[in-house]
Amino acid sequence: MSEDSPAQVDFWFDPQCPWAWSASRWMHEVERVRPVSTRWHVMSLAILNEGRDIPPRYREVIDKAWGPVRVCIAAEQKYGPDVLGPLYTELGIRFHHEKAPRDRATIEAALEAAGLDPDLADAMDTTEYDEALRESHRDAMDRVGYEVGTPVIAVAGTALFGPVVTPIPRGEAAAKLWDGVRLVAETEGFYELKRTRDRQPVFD
């Protein structure tokens, strides 16, 4: 890769996760201020939490997490991977900004807005796409390890969980965070920086 070629970033998301949504919007901002190109992939909170003892309220969220990711995989299989970014954007706007119900009508609206067949919403209620979903999810987990959540990003041969950040960094702030992520990704033996979250995601 030449110095002028954009850095390739692989980004795994579950459209249900507000932290993944914040990171994805940061990634779009990074593409405006740094030579970076993002490839979007699907991972699954439902798969991630299989067999785990989690609070009942969170279990309700997880049980509803199958539908959107199945639809994303169905869209990818029908149209190719380039549709995942636009579809994720349309789902995320509705889920996280508009607080729309995460039901078939909302997903159909997101599909139509992304220029995709709204009948792909049929995938919500079938296991037909689960093998491909698990493969995409496993690709992320095999790279980063199995003690993390969503999002997962891979750059410079290293996969990392996160960034977990709010509000969404913009402009130079987005660029500086990206430079830091690249720095730690390229540091031999780097594994973790972490602190306790004390605020909810903020979307602007």
Side-chain angles (χ1 to χ4, degrees), residues 22-75:
S22 290
S24 73
R25 299 312 94 182
W26 163 73
M27 202 68 246
H28 278 286
E29 192 75 8
V30 170
E31 289 182 327
R32 295 179 51 225
V33 294
R34 290 289 186 269
V36 172
S37 176
T38 308
R39 291 185 296 206
W40 302 95
H41 309 273
V42 185
M43 62 184 299
S44 169
L45 288 170
I47 294 173
L48 188 70
N49 287 281
E50 281 182 326
R52 295 186 179 182
D53 184 16
I54 60 177
R57 188 176 68 173
Y58 189 50
R59 172 56 63 190
E60 292 178 10
V61 174
I62 295 304
D63 289 344
K64 294 178 181 178
W66 285 103
V69 288
R70 285 169 170 165
V71 171
C72 287
I73 292 294

Side-chain angles (χ1 to χ4, degrees), residues 170-183:
R170 305 289 184 182
E172 185 58 24
K176 290 170 71 173
L177 177 57
W178 169 251
D179 293 342
V181 169
R182 281 296 303 264
L183 178 63

Side-chain angles (χ1 to χ4, degrees), residues 138-189:
R138 185 166 51 248
D139 186 22
M141 295 293 97
D142 285 349
R143 296 179 191 223
V144 74
Y146 284 79
E147 300 302 321
V148 301
T150 178
V152 170
I153 64 171
V155 60
T158 299
L160 301 165
F161 163 58
V164 176
V165 60
T166 194
I168 300 161
R170 305 289 184 182
E172 185 58 24
K176 290 170 71 173
L177 177 57
W178 169 251
D179 293 342
V181 169
R182 281 296 303 264
L183 178 63
V184 299
E186 295 172 2
T187 298
E188 175 68 26

